[in-house]
């Protein structure tokens, strides 16, 4: 299986590349600004806003499977339109496509969201991710949409881990909300699950989040304790009533997908406390 990881120099993408190479899959990856650290694969510069370049990379690599692990924030041209360009190229050249999406496509009004739930985003980023889902499935009907939640790692390459370290050190302003609930997933578990989907005949929507729902403050406290930081230094607050847009309690239910996987999507209370 030849695999193309789009966004291979990013946090999730680099873990996907590492696991794919370790598993013996011929692998190529793309980058927006600079290549990743894996030197034994082919790296391709790619701007998802440029249709001709997207098609040229897909045609040149001729991958069996493409995993889109990019994160363009609220940039509509990258986050909403870019995946559709990629899906069109994948469909044209006969590549399977796994598009990584986000729990930001949900408002939190229903709290619990399984694969059958329809997006109802509240933020520009969520709207872009929801639009990408719709467009990808229209132009590549067999694509996989893999929705996930907060992605956590073992060092400060993870945005959330980095924020906890900076808050504990007093080098960042802000608070960790006690009423903002998500289902964090470890980057290694997420990458392994995505590779399982890549090697299977999966299609449609799959949820790949951790099994524990928790607030950002509880998550921060667990990260601080794991990393030997003073958790008492982490400021707390309420998101409700603040000026920040987005849903409060969004719990991605991954049980249906978990039943099909060998990889266990561990909860954060498990992977942050060193439990097997």
């Amino acid at each position: 299986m030849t695999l193309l990881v789009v966004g291979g120099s990013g946090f999730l993408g680099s873990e996907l590349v590492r696991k794919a190479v370790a598993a013996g899959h011929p692998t190529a990856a793309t980058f927006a600004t600079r290549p990743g650290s894996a030197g034994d694969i082919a790296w391709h510069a790619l701007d998802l806003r440029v249709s001709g370049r997207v098609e040229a990379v897909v045609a040149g690599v001729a991958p069996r499977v493409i995993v889109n692990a990019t994160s363009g924030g609220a940039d509509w041209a990258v986050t909403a339109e870019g995946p559709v360009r990629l899906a069109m190229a994948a469909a044209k050249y006969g590549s399977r496509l796994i598009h990584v999406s986000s729990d930001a496509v949900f408002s939190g009004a229903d709290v619990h969201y399984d694969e059958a739930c329809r997006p109802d985003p509240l933020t520009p980023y969520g709207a872009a991710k929801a639009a990408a889902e719709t467009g990808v499935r229209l132009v590549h009907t067999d694509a996989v949409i893999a929705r996930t939640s907060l992605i956590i790692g073992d060092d400060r390459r993870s945005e959330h881990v980095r924020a906890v370290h900076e808050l504990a050190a007093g080098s960042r302003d802000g608070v960790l909300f006690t009423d903002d609930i998500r289902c964090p997933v470890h980057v290694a578990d997420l990458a392994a699950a995505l590779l399982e989907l890549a090697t299977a005949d999966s299609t449609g929507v799959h949820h790949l989040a951790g099994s524990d729902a928790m607030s950002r403050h509880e998550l921060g406290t667990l990260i601080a304790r794991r990393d030997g930081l003073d958790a008492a230094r982490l400021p707390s607050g309420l998101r409700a009533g603040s000026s920040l847009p987005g849903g409060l309690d969004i719990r991605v239910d991954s049980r249906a997908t978990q039943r099909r996987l060998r990889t266990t999507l561990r909860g954060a209370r498990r992977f942050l406390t060193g439990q097997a």
Side-chain angles (χ1 to χ4, degrees):
M1 176 188 75
T2 301
L3 180 70
L4 174 62
V5 180
V6 178
S9 60
F11 179 47
L12 172 59
S14 61
E15 182 67 13
L16 277 165
V17 168
R18 188 187 69 79
K19 285 188 178 295
V21 170
H25 300 303
T27 303
T30 76
F31 63 94
T33 55
R34 59 182 179 274
S37 58
D40 52 351
I41 69 167
W43 287 95
H44 302 268
L46 179 62
D47 184 340
L48 285 175
R49 297 170 296 182
V50 182
S51 298
R53 181 59 183 162
V54 172
E55 183 167 336
V57 169
V58 173
V61 175
R64 176 71 184 89
V65 183
I66 302 169
V67 180
N68 179 24
T70 57
S71 177
D75 186 328
W76 190 268
V78 176
T79 302
E81 298 172 0
V84 180
R85 297 185 185 97
L86 186 61
M88 292 173 67
K92 179 176 179 178
Y93 291 100
S95 301
R96 293 184 59 234
L97 175 64
I98 299 174
H99 171 69
V100 180
S101 190
S102 166
D103 58 9
V105 302
F106 299 123
S107 70
D110 293 330
V111 179
H112 299 277
Y113 293 90
D114 63 17
E115 287 86 346
C117 293
R118 294 184 177 181
D120 60 340
L122 294 177
T123 65
Y125 172 66
K129 295 297 279 188
E133 288 189 10
T134 300
V136 165
R137 297 185 74 185
L138 280 173
V139 302
H140 196 315
T141 56
D142 291 333
V144 170
I145 305 296
R147 297 188 187 122
T148 191
S149 190
L150 304 182
I151 307 175
I152 309 300
D154 297 328
D155 56 38
R156 280 190 266 187
R157 289 181 303 157
S158 166
E159 173 189 345
H160 310 289
V161 173
R162 185 166 60 251
V164 169
H165 278 253
E166 292 172 356
L167 286 168
S171 60
R172 174 189 287 225
D173 293 329
V175 300
L176 295 175
F177 296 119
T178 58
D179 59 346
D180 189 334
I181 311 297
R182 298 295 187 272
C183 295
V185 64
H186 196 284
V187 65
D189 297 345
L190 177 56
L194 289 167
L195 286 177
E196 276 198 59
L197 295 178
T199 56
D201 292 326
S202 304
T203 62
V205 178
H206 295 268
H207 282 183
L208 300 174
S211 55
D212 292 336
M214 64 178 57
S215 73
R216 291 181 186 259
H217 187 267
E218 182 184 357
L219 174 63
T221 297
L222 289 173
I223 291 171
R225 290 173 178 167
R226 181 198 66 180
D227 294 351
L229 306 175
D230 184 0
R233 292 181 57 85
L234 297 176
S236 63
L238 294 174
R239 183 168 179 171
S242 76
S243 61
L244 291 176
L248 287 178
D249 195 341
I250 301 175
R251 309 187 187 204
V252 175
D253 184 347
S254 303
R255 289 176 294 179
T257 297
Q258 178 66 88
R259 286 193 288 268
R260 306 172 190 172
L261 296 174
R262 297 184 304 275
T263 300
T264 298
L265 298 166
R266 296 169 294 168
R269 295 186 186 94
R270 180 175 173 185
F271 64 71
L272 287 171
T273 57
Q275 299 178 31

